[in-house]
Amino acid sequence: MNILIYLVAAAVIGWIATEIMHDRGGLLINIVVAVIGAFLAGYFLSPLFHIGTINDAITIPTMLVTLLGAIILLAIVRLIRRRR
């Protein structure tokens, strides 16, 4: 049951991130973006803000940190696409 809640939260965060960055993706892409964004946020942003990610607990602050990580991930992907 916890994995289902985690995937739903990741899908919502990924969808919000793709909407903010005006990037289109399907449900699977949204989940992947949020999960990778959570790992990026956990590595770089959590020590700065002293807040965990959705990997730790699903709360509003952790979802915001994960959203920020997903947005950063999408910005990096966009920069890589432009160079090609």
Side-chain angles (χ1 to χ4, degrees), residues 56-69:
D56 301 324
I58 299 177
T59 62
I60 298 297
T62 61
M63 291 179 76
L64 292 175
V65 168
T66 302
L67 176 63
L68 186 58

Side-chain angles (χ1 to χ4, degrees), residues 26-75:
L27 179 64
L28 183 62
I29 296 298
N30 290 346
I31 293 172
V32 169
V33 163
V35 170
I36 295 174
F39 286 118
L40 281 175
Y43 190 72
F44 294 109
L45 301 177
S46 288
L48 292 174
F49 298 124
H50 302 291
I51 298 172
T53 63
I54 63 169
N55 296 333
D56 301 324
I58 299 177
T59 62
I60 298 297
T62 61
M63 291 179 76
L64 292 175
V65 168
T66 302
L67 176 63
L68 186 58
I71 290 171
I72 291 170
L73 174 67
L74 288 173

